[in-house]
Amino acid sequence: MAEIKQITMTVRDENLALHMGSGSLRVLATPAVVALMENAAASLAQVLLDNAELTTVGTMIAIEHTSPTPLGAEVTAEARLISEDGRTFQFEVSAFDKKGEIARGTHTRVSVKAEKFQAKADSKFDEV
């Protein structure tokens, strides 16, 4: 069973800080880096689940985004499972471009019953 997952993307206009509203520069936005790392962790967690009715939701992410990446560059995010305790999965996450590491941190995901969780969210603001 794989305990590491990598996902690669090319930085496009919609991934830039200027377009995402997280800054004024034409560099890869921190929210885009976070999403890519979370996607890698979610993909890995899904493989580790042994029940098709389950999925995972992110509950915590803490990263340092330490190096800018320009439009058109390729970025790879990696999620490495560091522990699994019942429903909780802990990951080390990182992201790299061709010049090296651009971000690193940790991410926690918790398994939930997909239909039940979605129904709870959908009914959150229903009037009683």
Side-chain angles (χ1 to χ4, degrees), residues 1 42-57 84 86-89 110-112:
M1 193 174 302
S43 296
L44 177 53
Q46 197 62 43
V47 170
L48 299 171
L49 293 173
D50 59 0
N51 182 333
E53 295 177 4
L54 298 177
T55 191
T56 60
V57 294
E84 181 181 349
R87 297 176 46 218
T88 304
F89 298 84
V110 174
S111 67
V112 296

Side-chain angles (χ1 to χ4, degrees), residues 90-112:
Q90 300 283 339
F91 299 92
E92 286 181 349
V93 290
S94 56
F96 303 84
D97 61 24
K98 71 179 183 179
K99 294 292 187 173
E101 185 177 280
I102 64 165
R104 172 170 294 281
T106 58
H107 179 45
T108 304
R109 299 190 69 77
V110 174
S111 67
V112 296

Side-chain angles (χ1 to χ4, degrees), residues 4-12 14-15 28 32-41 43 69-70 72-79 94-100 102:
I4 297 174
K5 174 71 176 179
Q6 290 186 335
I7 296 181
T8 300
M9 66 172 256
T10 300
V11 179
R12 303 192 189 300
E14 61 266 21
N15 308 122
L28 180 62
V33 174
V34 168
L36 189 63
M37 291 190 296
E38 187 168 14
N39 187 288
S43 296
T69 304
E74 197 170 84
V75 174
T76 299
E78 180 177 284
S94 56
F96 303 84
D97 61 24
K98 71 179 183 179
K99 294 292 187 173
I102 64 165

